Amino acid sequence: MVRNCFLMIGMVFFFLFARNVMGDIPVLVNFRSGALVLVGTVVGGSLAFPVHTLRGFFTSLADSLKPKPKTVEDLISQITALARLQRVAGLGEMNRKINAVQNTVLRRGFQLILDNYSPSRVEMMLGKEINLHLDLLQTQLNAINRLARLAPVFGFVGTIIGLINVLNHIGSSTQIGQGMATALLTTFYGLLFANFLFLPIAGKFAAHIRRETLMLNVIFDGVVAVCDQRPPLEIAHSLKSYADADFSTPSPISHGKRHRWTFWGNASKQRQLAR
C-alpha cells in the first residue's frame, strides 16, 4: 500500500514537472505515434518468441500481481502438517488432504510419495518439474526484457519515418516545425514505454520469480525430507532457514547454505544440483 502511494505521488510530480518543462502537454499526445511504437514492439517480440510464451506471460503476470497471503512460514507449517498426517493417517484421508492443497508442485510431490516411489525417484521427478517451471518463467522474463529493448528501437524507426516525411515537405516552412515535433514523438514514446511500462513489469516479474524460486526450494527440501521418513519436527527446523532468506538478493543464501535453485543460475547447473 505504501509503495503504491509513493508510486502515484511520483507519477503526479513527474507529469507536473513535464508540464512545466514542455509547456503544452497536448503536443505530446499523438495516438498514431504511440500505436506505431507499441504495435511494432509487440509484433517484434512475437517474432522473437512463440505466441504461447507471451500468452503464458500475461497469466504469470496476473498471478504475480495478486496479493500473496501465503508466506514461507505458512508453507513450512503446511509441509510439517502433511508430514505428520502421512505418519498417522490412512491412505484415503491423506488423499483428501493432498487434493485440497493449492500449490500444484507440493501436491505433485506428496502424490509421488503416496505412489510409493523411491526417494531418488521422487527427487528426480520433482526436480525435473521444478526445472521446467522455472525455465518457463525465465523465458517469459526474457520476452518482456526483449520488449523493453525493442521499444526505443521502434521509436527511433518512427523518428526516421517522420524525418523522411519532413524532407518530402521541405519546401513548406510551416510544416517543418510541426513535422519535426511529430517525428521526435516516436522516440519519446519508445523511451516512455520501455522505462515506464516494460521495465517496471520486468522488475515486478523478476521479484515474482525470486519468490517462486524460494518457495520451490522449500517444497523440494520438504518433500524429499518426508520421503526420507524424517521426523516432522526435524523437517520444520531444517526448513526454518528459508524463512530468513532475503528476497532482494539475486542469489538467496541462508546460513551459508545456497539453495538448490537460484534465480540467476543456468538451467544445466540447476539440473545437476537436482540430481
Side-chain angles (χ1 to χ4, degrees):
M1 182 65 181
V2 176
R3 180 185 299 178
N4 293 334
C5 291
F6 276 111
L7 178 62
M8 294 300 297
I9 293 173
M11 291 179 64
V12 170
F13 275 103
F14 171 79
F15 284 110
L16 289 176
F17 180 75
R19 182 174 183 178
N20 290 330
V21 172
M22 301 300 298
D24 192 7
I25 290 295
V27 175
L28 301 178
V29 179
N30 190 303
F31 291 104
R32 289 186 298 177
S33 298
L36 173 66
V37 176
L38 188 59
V39 173
T41 301
V42 174
V43 171
S46 301
L47 294 176
F49 292 90
V51 177
H52 65 83
T53 299
L54 296 177
R55 189 186 306 118
F57 165 75
F58 290 110
T59 303
S60 302
L61 180 63
D63 294 336
S64 68
L65 295 177
K66 294 178 181 178
K68 300 297 186 299
K70 295 293 184 181
T71 61
V72 177
E73 290 84 357
D74 295 332
L75 184 60
I76 294 173
S77 300
Q78 189 176 19
I79 293 174
T80 306
L82 290 174
R84 291 194 184 99
L85 189 65
Q86 192 260 346
R87 286 182 164 232
V88 299
L91 185 61
E93 179 67 19
M94 192 65 185
N95 278 326
R96 285 192 293 270
K97 291 294 184 181
I98 291 176
N99 291 331
V101 174
Q102 295 182 353
N103 192 296
T104 57
V105 179
L106 180 60
R107 184 169 64 248
R108 172 65 173 164
F110 274 92
Q111 285 175 347
L112 291 174
I113 295 176
L114 288 183
D115 291 338
N116 292 323
Y117 282 98
S118 63
S120 60
R121 186 69 175 172
V122 171
E123 186 174 352
M124 182 190 68
M125 295 177 67
L126 191 61
K128 180 180 179 181
E129 187 168 340
I130 292 176
N131 278 322
L132 292 175
H133 179 65
L134 291 179
D135 284 345
L136 176 62
L137 293 178
Q138 183 65 55
T139 303
Q140 294 171 355
L141 180 61
N142 293 337
I144 193 64
N145 284 327
R146 175 66 65 88
L147 295 180
R149 292 193 296 269
L150 287 176
V153 174
F154 278 94
F156 186 66
V157 169
T159 299
I160 295 177
I161 296 174
L163 290 176
I164 293 174
N165 187 39
V166 170
L167 293 176
N168 285 333
H169 300 84
I170 197 170
S172 177
S173 60
T174 58
Q175 295 184 2
I176 292 179
Q178 183 179 1
M180 287 293 296
T182 304
L184 292 175
L185 271 181
T186 55
T187 299
F188 169 75
Y189 280 122
L191 296 174
L192 191 67
F193 287 143
N195 294 280
F196 283 86
L197 179 62
F198 296 122
L199 286 180
I201 290 177
K204 181 70 175 179
F205 195 66
H208 170 68
I209 297 180
R210 283 193 291 268
R211 187 178 189 277
E212 281 290 307
T213 302
L214 182 61
M215 302 292 274
L216 290 174
N217 275 285
V218 174
I219 293 173
F220 183 84
D221 284 355
V223 170
V224 171
V226 173
C227 192
D228 289 336
Q229 301 294 326
R230 293 169 57 186
L233 188 60
E234 180 184 348
I235 295 174
H237 283 302
S238 64
L239 295 178
K240 285 294 183 182
S241 59
Y242 286 105
D244 301 327
D246 184 10
F247 289 98
S248 63
T249 55
S251 298
I253 301 174
S254 180
H255 298 293
K257 179 182 177 182
R258 186 176 297 274
H259 295 185
R260 284 178 171 82
W261 284 272
T262 57
F263 172 61
W264 302 107
N266 54 45
S268 61
K269 187 176 182 180
Q270 291 169 355
R271 294 189 182 94
Q272 292 174 0
L273 290 173
R275 297 193 185 98

